[in-house]
Amino acid sequence: NRELDALFASLADPTRRAILARLAHGPASVTDLSRPFPMALPSFLQHLRRLEEGGLIETEKTGRTRLCRLRTGALAPARDWMEAQRLLWEGRHDRLEDYLRTLTAQADEGPDPDG
């Protein structure tokens, strides 16, 4: 799924995660967002572009100011995928636990004298 790949690629970088953490407090201009990061503006804009391509943020230009904000529900595909993985692994864990209980019960019973 390309959407999910782009989303996880966007989340893979600590700078981008820090930008998202800041935007969780509300929209901010590119200038305000870039202040804490020791990088040239073009490099910072590449991070914003990746976040936008990943569907995590949206930007809007008003005059000379570009405002960034989180996209509502942007993390839903990642959450849904992780939930599906959790259910899959819990099911596997439950089956393994049942199997181990069966083996333990059989070992406790000892060998079959007729067998």
Side-chain angles (χ1 to χ4, degrees):
N1 180 330
R2 288 181 187 220
E3 177 187 19
L4 198 56
D5 292 346
L7 191 145
F8 279 121
S10 296
L11 292 171
D13 186 273
T15 297
R16 293 191 287 269
R17 290 191 306 270
I19 293 167
L20 293 173
R22 165 53 190 89
L23 289 174
H25 298 286
S29 70
V30 170
T31 302
D32 290 341
L33 285 173
S34 68
R35 276 195 189 108
F37 302 100
M39 65 180 72
L41 187 59
S43 297
F44 186 77
L45 291 173
Q46 286 180 339
H47 285 290
L48 293 181
R49 192 168 304 116
R50 287 295 296 269
L51 289 169
E52 205 164 10
E53 289 169 358
L56 292 165
I57 68 168
E58 53 193 15
T59 62
E60 176 185 336
K61 190 168 185 176
T62 306
R64 297 179 67 186
T65 304
R66 181 166 295 279
L67 193 65
C68 301
R69 68 176 49 84
L70 292 177
R71 284 192 59 223
T72 304
L75 292 174
R79 181 199 62 223
D80 295 345
W81 182 84
M82 287 187 280
E83 178 64 11
Q85 296 306 305
R86 183 186 67 77
L87 293 172
L88 175 74
W89 283 99
E90 281 182 359
R92 288 178 179 173
H93 180 263
D94 291 346
R95 287 191 301 277
L96 176 60
E97 193 172 31
D98 291 343
Y99 176 69
L100 293 174
R101 271 196 213 109
T102 302
L103 288 179
T104 302
Q106 289 173 351
D108 289 346
E109 292 172 5
D112 184 1
D114 298 329

